[in-house]
Amino acid sequence: YHTVSLNLEQIDCTILSDLNRFLRWLCANVSHQLQLQPKLNDYWDDDIGSKVSCTLYFRSYLLEQLNSPVVLALDEVNKIFEHPQVAKDFFPMLR
């Protein structure tokens, strides 16, 4: 397994309060921890939205580059609950 550990206390409030910025932060940080070049602009499309763009980035780019599953560990996840709109859209994506 590849393990990615993110501490959500490291996120600026301006990023955490905007779903699009948060999902781009997530994708960029996961890319760096997996030692992959971030290619957000190749997969991000405002016309389909940030949730679909994030999903495509994980499926079509990140997971395609790896030969084993990824474990995503989120520390201080309670920070997301302080931003209910982001929490409402982000947590269902994790399923």
Side-chain angles (χ1 to χ4, degrees):
Y1 289 92
H2 294 279
T3 302
V4 174
S5 179
L6 299 174
N7 185 335
L8 299 180
E9 278 194 342
Q10 296 176 336
I11 303 176
D12 296 339
C13 283
T14 57
I15 293 172
L16 196 51
S17 62
D18 178 86
L19 181 65
N20 185 62
R21 291 186 71 193
F22 171 67
L23 293 178
R24 288 181 66 93
W25 177 91
L26 175 74
C27 290
N29 277 279
V30 170
S31 297
H32 287 297
Q33 286 203 26
L34 294 173
Q35 299 179 345
L36 296 171
Q37 179 68 34
K39 295 188 176 184
L40 293 167
N41 292 333
D42 293 347
Y43 293 87
W44 224 261
D45 184 344
D46 290 335
D47 292 332
I48 62 173
S50 57
K51 292 189 290 186
V52 174
S53 294
C54 180
T55 300
L56 288 173
Y57 187 80
F58 268 82
R59 285 184 185 162
S60 300
Y61 176 57
L62 293 178
L63 296 177
E64 287 292 322
Q65 303 298 313
L66 306 172
N67 57 3
S68 61
V70 174
V71 174
L72 180 61
L74 300 174
D75 193 23
E76 298 298 327
V77 75
N78 57 301
K79 291 290 185 187
I80 296 175
F81 290 112
E82 295 172 12
H83 304 275
Q85 189 60 42
V86 172
K88 182 183 107 189
D89 289 330
F90 174 65
F91 288 119
M93 288 180 61
L94 293 179
R95 288 189 249 146

